[in-house]
Amino acid sequence: MKHVFVAGDAYSSHFFKMNIEADEQLSLSSFLLVASYHVARFALIMRDDGLQGLGIMPGDALLIADHSLEPVKDRPVLIRREGEFIVRIATDVNPHECTFTTTRAGDAAILLPSENIRITGVVSGIISNPVLHAAKQW
């Protein structure tokens, strides 16, 4: 089994802040136990229902893998813009602008210039009703 640290909460309805740059800070977070072959770098807990059409419910853990290891088209991805993040479905990704959506009927698509964003990761797995483990304090 492998430890995957929980970096915080995730939203599809609005941008949120989190610090995933410092591995040492992540190692102080709660963690999930996943199969050792999983490629997830960290996990986020989904807090809204914007991806419910994909079977992702509020409270589910999103396992986030490096975007270069996984395809992103039509998949939920973690997007960073100006130091804030959002989880959305990458419906159109190209060098000029990218379109990100949810499965919630009332949400408008977000169209962002490619030079202003970074796809930080892709959802490579989901754990429903996860059991979080406390990080050990050394």
Side-chain angles (χ1 to χ4, degrees):
M1 298 296 279
K2 167 181 166 178
H3 291 151
V4 175
F5 294 102
V6 178
D9 293 334
Y11 300 90
S12 65
S13 57
H14 62 276
F15 283 87
F16 58 93
K17 292 194 179 286
M18 87 174 157
N19 183 3
I20 58 170
E21 304 304 323
D23 286 339
E24 116 184 359
Q25 187 172 358
L26 268 181
S27 68
L28 300 175
S29 303
S30 300
F31 64 89
L32 300 167
L33 291 174
V34 300
S36 58
Y37 59 81
H38 206 288
V39 296
R41 287 181 40 228
F42 58 90
L44 297 169
I45 304 299
M46 193 68 195
R47 295 299 180 196
D48 64 29
D49 63 354
L51 302 177
Q52 200 165 7
L54 298 177
I56 300 171
M57 305 300 179
D60 287 353
L62 307 177
L63 301 177
I64 307 294
D66 184 339
H67 76 283
S68 65
L69 299 176
E70 299 276 342
V72 298
K73 176 85 170 87
D74 297 324
R75 302 267 309 271
V77 295
L78 179 64
I79 306 138
R80 183 177 69 194
R81 180 190 73 175
E82 299 175 7
E84 294 186 320
F85 297 85
I86 193 168
V87 177
R88 287 268 177 135
I89 301 163
T91 54
D92 183 24
V93 178
N94 66 62
H96 303 288
E97 57 190 18
C98 301
T99 306
F100 302 100
T101 62
T102 70
T103 61
R104 194 173 28 227
D107 289 346
I110 297 175
L111 181 66
L112 298 170
S114 296
E115 68 268 6
N116 293 346
I117 63 149
R118 180 167 182 230
I119 296 176
T120 304
V122 61
V123 175
S124 60
I126 304 158
I127 300 175
S128 297
N129 302 312
V131 174
L132 299 179
H133 303 276
K136 293 182 180 176
Q137 302 298 317
W138 303 102

